[in-house]
Amino acid sequence: MKTVLITGGLGFVGSHLADRLAQEGCKLVLVDNLTTNVAAPEDYRNVCEVIVDSVENCQERLSGYRFDEIYHLASHVGPAGVLQHAGEIARATILTGDIATKLALSQKSRLLLASTSEVYGQTGTLHEDIDCVVPSKYTVRLEYAAAKLTSEIAALNKARVSDLFVNVVRPFNIAGPRQLPDGGFVLPRFVVAALNGTPLTVFGDGSQIRAFTDVRDIVAGLIAIMTGAKSNMVLNLGNPANEVSILKLAQLVVQISGSRSDIELIDPKDLFGPLYEEGTERVPDVEKALSRLEWRPQFSLERTVSDTVEYFRSRPELLRTQPLETAASL
Ligand SMILES: NC(=O)c1ccc[n+]([C@@H]2O[C@H](COP(=O)([O-])OP(=O)(O)OC[C@H]3O[C@@H](n4cnc5c(N)ncnc54)[C@H](O)[C@@H]3O)[C@@H](O)[C@H]2O)c1
């Protein structure tokens, strides 16, 4: 039986990954400091060990295990969620990446680092081989992206001079059941508004392009990378077939949920403050992942939207959250 550590294990991706690995019979340890968790520790205590603490605080405790695999997912996340951690994101990202790397080295565990498509800092269809340039405008999202990139570089360089087994994944716009609107994620924001009968607020003119990837496809990709033969890879994970404009996504949510909500165009800086930034177009080139992994994304955008609608419909208590007002003071 494999022993697996998931940092950020009570988060959106981490909890779906924990479900899959528990089903496969792995012995799991989840570490999460409950800053943006979507699952509660008690939801998982009967299937695995849950450590409620920051990765930074539990190095000694983690050194007492023998992990075969480490998925390092813990991070500040979200287009609006990162804003309140401005100036702290780089330290936390690089430090936790370093801790995960050292743990993997000392225990000879396989390591997977969750990076982000934001490292590209560019718009368009993004392949792993394009340069990741650091622009001169120091936005909060750049702090997130640059720190993730630094973590990638450090871990991959460490693997050049040691027997560290590490791979890096750059996911593109993960979506699906359990994701909460609080971090500014667009699909749950729209679904909550549609089910509440309030307007779906689209930023700018809604022409921004994204390719949403179902969290269950991401989890399958993470496991495929972790259990594959190769180390030292950087791989995009995403579903270009799900490319859509944000305005069209709003229309799809209204249609699938049967809502009577209006769609309103607004300036996101009015809600999230002047620090808010977003790119115009981000679509993954996933040829590398398709050619190197036994992995194909399975979930259409319609299925992801419909499952997300059902998720919130069956949990009316989540519809009472008012994420935009909460974030508006930033
Ligand atoms: N959601 C996306 O669209 C997306 C896109 C690209 C990359 N990613 C990356 O995927 C990973 C998982 O993202 P997610 O969407 O599940 O986010 P999430 O916020 O749902 O999960 C992250 C979890 O980590 C925990 N956490 C944060 N800092 C911690 C720390 N220092 N110690 C312990 N726990 C900590 C949070 O409480 C949360 O439960 C992150 O590394 C993120 O950068 C996500």
Side-chain angles (χ1 to χ4, degrees):
M1 185 198 289
K2 276 192 295 199
T3 303
V4 179
L5 170 64
I6 307 176
T7 72
L10 297 174
F12 171 47
V13 178
S15 63
H16 280 276
L17 178 64
D19 293 347
R20 266 285 302 267
L21 294 176
Q23 265 171 16
E24 290 175 11
C26 295
K27 184 179 169 207
L28 290 179
V29 178
L30 313 184
V31 175
D32 202 296
N33 65 4
L34 308 187
T35 49
T36 52
N37 55 307
V38 303
E42 39 296 2
D43 299 341
Y44 283 87
R45 286 221 157 102
N46 58 344
V47 286
C48 58
E49 186 168 346
V50 181
I51 301 174
V52 177
D53 207 343
S54 292
V55 171
E56 299 89 314
N57 297 337
C58 50
Q59 271 170 281
E60 206 181 312
R61 188 161 169 194
L62 293 175
S63 65
Y65 295 84
R66 281 294 160 263
F67 295 114
D68 300 292
E69 298 174 352
I70 299 172
Y71 291 87
H72 179 47
L73 309 181
S75 177
H76 296 303
V77 185
V82 294
L83 301 183
Q84 61 193 296
H85 302 288
E88 293 297 326
I89 304 162
R91 183 196 56 79
T93 306
I94 293 167
L95 181 57
T96 59
D98 184 58
I99 290 169
T101 303
K102 294 217 164 82
L103 191 64
L105 254 182
S106 68
Q107 304 202 354
K108 301 202 180 310
S109 337
R110 289 179 166 217
L111 173 64
L112 190 146
L113 287 185
S115 185
T116 172
S117 53
E118 299 202 17
V119 299
Y120 292 112
Q122 300 183 36
T123 59
T125 299
L126 302 165
H127 186 273
E128 292 89 342
D129 289 343
I130 63 172
D131 287 341
C132 298
V133 283
V134 178
S136 57
K137 189 176 174 200
Y138 292 170
T139 64
V140 179
R141 281 177 89 157
L142 177 62
E143 182 181 346
Y144 170 70
K148 287 279 191 183
L149 189 59
T150 306
S151 272
E152 287 187 11
I153 297 167
L156 294 170
N157 277 337
K158 180 58 96 179
R160 291 174 144 178
V161 294
S162 69
D163 58 0
L164 178 67
F165 186 105
V166 62
N167 286 300
V168 169
V169 61
R170 295 175 178 166
F172 283 65
N173 288 84
I174 312 171
R178 278 186 211 159
Q179 189 175 42
L180 296 175
D182 310 44
F185 297 102
V186 64
L187 180 58
R189 261 198 334 103
F190 283 171
V191 170
V192 168
L195 295 181
N196 278 332
T198 54
L200 279 70
T201 47
V202 168
F203 298 165
D205 63 1
S207 62
Q208 310 90 309
I209 301 289
R210 297 289 184 273
F212 291 90
T213 312
D214 195 283
V215 64
R216 293 157 286 190
D217 280 330
I218 292 291
V219 162
L222 297 180
I223 294 172
I225 295 169
M226 182 63 100
T227 53
K230 291 207 165 165
S231 175
N232 263 27
M233 293 188 294
V234 175
L235 290 175
N236 287 342
L237 280 186
N239 190 349
N242 285 347
E243 182 179 329
V244 69
S245 76
I246 298 301
L247 184 58
K248 284 221 172 90
L249 179 73
Q251 291 160 345
L252 190 65
V253 169
V254 168
Q255 182 206 320
I256 288 179
S257 63
S259 169
R260 294 179 171 208
S261 291
D262 292 327
I263 295 173
E264 282 179 5
L265 304 182
I266 60 160
D267 181 351
K269 289 191 196 286
D270 289 345
L271 287 165
F272 298 122
L275 298 182
Y276 188 88
E277 302 279 342
E278 65 176 349
T280 50
E281 182 183 0
R282 213 166 46 227
V283 177
D285 178 333
V286 286
E287 284 311 311
K288 193 170 168 188
L290 295 178
S291 66
R292 300 203 182 181
L293 305 174
E294 296 281 314
W295 173 80
R296 296 281 175 280
Q298 306 287 335
F299 288 82
S300 67
L301 182 60
E302 289 73 14
R303 169 82 191 276
T304 304
V305 170
S306 132
D307 288 355
T308 306
V309 167
E310 282 320 306
Y311 176 76
F312 280 102
R313 204 169 250 148
S314 64
R315 288 167 183 78
E317 69 281 6
L318 294 178
L319 297 180
R320 287 192 288 272
T321 55
Q322 294 187 329
L324 289 182
E325 283 77 358
T326 320
S329 58
L330 290 167

